[in-house]
Amino acid sequence: MLTAVFGGVPAINSDLWWKATHLSGYGLGWAIAILLVTDRWHRVPLGAALSALATWAIDLDTSTTICAS
């Protein structure tokens, strides 16, 4: 991100970046839950937990990237 700013490339809108990464975290968690569990009632808590964990991990990376730029 720093090279993009110094290289004359316009900065990415951080709000759009935040929304895109968090949606991908939710999608990743649910995709893993769908692949791992066949029972619907076991899939729901696993999907919720995995999507929350993936979103939290992506949030750490995103906030570090936004603060560094």
Side-chain angles (χ1 to χ4, degrees), residues 30 33 37 39-51:
W30 283 104
V37 182
D39 183 20
R40 183 181 309 179
W41 298 110
H42 291 141
R43 186 183 294 163
V44 171
L46 181 65
L50 288 176
S51 65

Side-chain angles (χ1 to χ4, degrees), residues 4-66:
V5 172
F6 291 125
V9 177
I12 298 171
N13 180 359
S14 63
D15 188 43
L16 177 63
W17 179 259
W18 186 87
K19 288 178 185 175
T21 55
H22 282 70
L23 284 175
S24 66
Y26 283 120
L28 181 64
W30 283 104
I32 292 172
I34 287 170
L35 290 173
L36 290 179
V37 182
T38 57
D39 183 20
R40 183 181 309 179
W41 298 110
H42 291 141
R43 186 183 294 163
V44 171
L46 181 65
L50 288 176
S51 65
L53 287 173
T55 304
W56 176 73
I58 289 172
D59 184 41
L60 290 177
D61 183 46
T62 303
S63 61
T64 305
T65 303
I66 291 172

